[in-house]
């Protein structure tokens, strides 16, 4: 397949429909490391669609493209959000370390049922709620030293572009209006011949997850129970926007297809998010994009982070079992310790958040910082090489942390005579893991 990363011009109107929201501030500085040969240490990531690790090939001179699904801002960012964003931050850092330009886009679903339901429950304006929680998310990401996306885009500001895509789907016959007068428009999954390739799930599993994750398999009048909503016609007491489709608001999956295609083109290198987005969200978004462009696959690599649990259950807003990044920051927990605690498990693994995990992260951070204050230590070049090797292997942070642990232990025991090692290790840990070891850098 010919590489096509140019943004699809038909998604943009003359006024520049696809604009970006205010993102968060970038880390104050990211140390430059000795050059690496990308061919010698190729980046491999596990691809959900093929169920195997694959090399993420970025041709010389090309720009790496990544789209990561962001938050629905009806509550503060919790450890699950943080773990996902940190995982894809590591991907960005891998590319940057190789000298590869990166174009990274993330959305904010700032209009959707969960946001409206939370606002109604609390008697709050949904716009104010969304703006407040988005602002808090940005603060959390900056504190965690997550490199911001190049384009941070809200669903509301993308509505004209979304409408344009839906019009094209209607014209092609891949979308249809319900005949019940609701104004609702659906995508016909039969129009996507490869539908199901990304998740690999059977139909029964799809139906169960569709019902659980925002779908409406029992809706009367649909051609197929799995058909997803593209446009929700106006309802009393709900926000709606005027459009050529009639008043209403966009569905979830077409939102991400429109934003990703508008900024990144017909095909992207990495589509990312939590593993709860494998189906229906990423499956449906890919089906929308591929039906419009006839370019397959939409993402060369589909990468999914595991869920973070608490007391044996997935951490989620609906369950109310959340540990918030902002609350820990309010308790004066060093964000670098939070980051290290999350890096202690592999990004693809479903895992638990515990007080013990956080304590271990705090102790590790203190030990590493003490080690880099020593005048010398074992070879820093060896540690750098090991970090690059482990992170290139599907972001093996467990192995990467073990390499720094071993170096710190030997250094604190008085081993090693490399006077450049403390500085190089500090730079490597900051640049590749996003953990500042010089206290002044983390302030």
């Amino acid at each position: 397949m010919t590489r096509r990363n140019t943004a699809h011009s038909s998604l943009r109107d003359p006024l520049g429909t696809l604009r970006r929201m205010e993102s968060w501030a970038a880390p104050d500085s990211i140390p430059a490391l000795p050059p690496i040969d990308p061919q010698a240490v190729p980046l491999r990531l596990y691809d959900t669609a093929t169920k195997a690790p694959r090399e993420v090939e970025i041709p010389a001179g090309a720009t790496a493209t990544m789209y990561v699904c962001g938050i629905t801002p009806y509550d503060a960012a919790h450890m699950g959000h943080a773990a996902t964003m940190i995982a894809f931050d590591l991907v960005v850092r891998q590319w940057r370390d190789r000298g590869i330009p990166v174009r990274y886009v993330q959305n904010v679903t700032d209009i959707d049922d969960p946001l409206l339901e939370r606002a109604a429950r609390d008697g709050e304006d949904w716009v104010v709620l969304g703006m407040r929680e988005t602002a808090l998310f940005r603060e959390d990401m900056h504190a965690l030293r997550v490199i911001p996306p190049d384009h941070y885009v809200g669903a509301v500001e993308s509505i004209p572009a979304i409408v344009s895509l839906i019009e094209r789907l209607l014209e092609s016959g891949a979308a249809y209006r319900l005949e019940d007068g609701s104004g609702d428009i659906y995508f016909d999954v039969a129009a996507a011949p490869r539908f199901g390739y990304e998740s690999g799930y059977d139909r029964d599993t799809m139906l169960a997850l569709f019902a659980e994750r925002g779908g409406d398999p029992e809706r009367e009048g649909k051609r197929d129970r799995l058909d997803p909503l593209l446009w929700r016609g106006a309802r009393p007491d709900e926000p709606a926007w005027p459009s050529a489709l009639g008043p209403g608001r966009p569905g979830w999956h077409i939102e991400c297809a429109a934003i990703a295609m508008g900024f990144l083109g017909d095909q992207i290198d990495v589509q990312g998010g939590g593993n709860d987005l494998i189906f229906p969200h990423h499956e449906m978004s890919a089906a929308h994009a591929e039906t419009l462009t006839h370019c397959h696959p939409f993402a060369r690599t589909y990468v999914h982070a595991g869920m973070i649990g608490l007391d044996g259950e997935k951490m989620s807003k609906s369950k109310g079992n959340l540990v918030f990044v902002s609350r820990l920051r309010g308790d004066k927990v060093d964000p670098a310790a939070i980051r290290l605690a999350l890096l202690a498990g592999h990004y693809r693994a479903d895992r638990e958040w515990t007080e013990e995990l956080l304590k271990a992260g705090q102790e590790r951070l203190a030990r590493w910082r003490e080690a880099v204050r020593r005048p010398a230590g074992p070879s820093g070049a060896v540690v750098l090489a090991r970090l690059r090797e482990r992170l290139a292997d599907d972001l093996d942070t467990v192995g990467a942390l073990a390499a720094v642990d071993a170096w710190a232990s030997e250094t604190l025991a008085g081993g090693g005579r490399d006077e450049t090692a403390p500085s190089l290790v500090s730079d490597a840990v900051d640049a590749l893991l996003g953990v500042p070891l010089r206290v002044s850098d983390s302030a």
Side-chain angles (χ1 to χ4, degrees), residues 63-79:
T63 296
T65 55
M66 182 168 72
Y67 182 87
V68 175
C69 294
I71 60 168
T72 301
Y74 62 94
D75 211 337
H78 56 70
M79 289 302 110

Side-chain angles (χ1 to χ4, degrees), residues 241-429:
W241 285 262
S243 78
L245 304 172
R249 57 186 169 94
W252 179 25
H253 316 304
I254 190 66
E255 165 199 342
C256 285
I259 294 171
M261 293 169 63
F263 283 103
L264 300 176
D266 295 351
Q267 191 176 46
I268 64 178
D269 291 305
V270 172
Q271 163 81 73
N275 62 21
D276 57 341
L277 300 183
I278 294 173
F279 192 92
H281 188 49
H282 287 170
E283 192 77 69
M284 300 298 187
S285 294
H288 296 337
E290 292 172 16
T291 301
L292 286 160
T293 66
H294 307 291
C295 184
H296 174 83
F298 172 57
R300 296 178 181 85
T301 312
Y302 293 93
V303 182
H304 293 99
M307 296 292 100
I308 303 298
L310 182 69
D311 300 326
E313 289 190 305
K314 168 191 166 184
M315 196 176 291
S316 70
K317 296 174 182 178
S318 61
K319 295 180 183 297
N321 60 342
L322 304 177
V323 177
F324 296 116
V325 176
S326 54
R327 190 165 299 163
L328 290 177
R329 291 197 294 117
D331 291 337
K332 307 302 181 184
V333 175
D334 191 324
I338 300 172
R339 186 163 177 133
L340 273 176
L342 292 169
L343 292 174
H346 192 268
Y347 81 95
R348 282 195 293 113
D350 292 339
R351 54 203 191 276
E352 292 285 305
W353 176 265
T354 64
E355 288 294 328
E356 291 74 20
L357 184 68
L358 177 57
K359 183 179 179 181
Q362 292 170 316
E363 293 174 347
R364 173 174 272 136
L365 180 63
R367 190 166 60 253
W368 288 8
R369 283 180 171 168
E370 182 182 353
V372 299
R373 287 196 295 268
R374 297 296 173 94
S379 171
V382 170
V383 178
L384 173 59
R386 183 63 174 167
L387 281 174
R388 285 170 161 167
E389 174 195 349
R390 288 296 81 224
L391 292 171
D393 185 9
D394 196 27
L395 308 180
D396 176 18
T397 55
V398 177
L401 266 58
V404 184
D405 281 340
W407 178 87
S409 294
E410 189 172 348
T411 299
L412 294 173
R417 298 180 180 275
D418 181 356
E419 295 180 356
T420 68
S423 178
L424 180 56
V425 170
S426 179
D427 285 351
V429 169

Side-chain angles (χ1 to χ4, degrees), residues 186-234:
Y186 281 82
F187 177 77
D188 187 347
V189 294
R194 295 185 176 90
F195 180 76
Y197 81 90
E198 182 265 341
S199 66
Y201 296 152
D202 59 37
R203 183 172 174 85
D204 286 344
T205 301
M206 288 182 181
L207 284 168
L209 291 175
F210 191 54
E212 177 186 323
R213 297 172 178 172
D216 55 358
E218 304 308 320
R219 178 74 186 274
E220 293 291 336
K222 290 170 46 171
R223 295 176 183 173
D224 190 298
R225 294 176 67 196
L226 287 172
D227 288 351
L229 181 71
L230 294 170
W231 186 256
R232 178 177 170 85

Side-chain angles (χ1 to χ4, degrees), residues 10-26:
S10 64
L11 298 187
R12 298 176 180 271
D13 69 14
L15 298 178
T17 295
L18 284 174
R19 307 181 305 277
R20 64 177 182 178
M21 303 174 73
E22 179 186 354
S23 189
W24 56 91

Side-chain angles (χ1 to χ4, degrees), residues 79-196:
M79 289 302 110
H81 294 132
T84 297
M85 296 308 162
I86 287 171
F88 293 101
D89 181 57
L90 295 180
V91 176
V92 173
R93 288 169 183 272
Q94 284 289 291
W95 280 328
R96 288 173 59 121
D97 184 44
R98 289 161 168 74
I100 297 172
V102 182
R103 189 178 301 125
Y104 170 24
V105 177
Q106 187 179 135
N107 75 307
V108 181
T109 303
D110 53 358
I111 179 64
D112 202 9
D113 289 344
L115 178 62
L116 299 178
E117 291 164 2
R118 178 60 59 87
R121 187 199 74 178
D122 296 345
E124 186 170 7
D125 185 297
W126 66 273
V127 175
V128 174
L129 172 62
M131 291 177 64
R132 184 181 68 245
E133 297 304 340
T134 301
L136 184 57
F137 176 79
R138 290 194 295 255
E139 292 174 9
D140 288 338
M141 293 303 101
H142 178 64
L144 290 170
R145 215 166 170 78
V146 173
I147 297 171
D150 298 285
H151 302 285
Y152 192 52
V153 189
V156 170
E157 61 189 321
S158 305
I159 285 175
I162 295 169
V163 168
S164 175
L165 291 195
I166 297 173
E167 288 180 311
R168 290 170 55 195
L169 289 169
L170 283 167
E171 290 168 3
S172 71
Y176 60 95
R177 295 177 181 273
L178 288 195
E179 298 178 357
D180 59 3
S182 64
D184 293 353
I185 301 174
Y186 281 82
F187 177 77
D188 187 347
V189 294
R194 295 185 176 90
F195 180 76

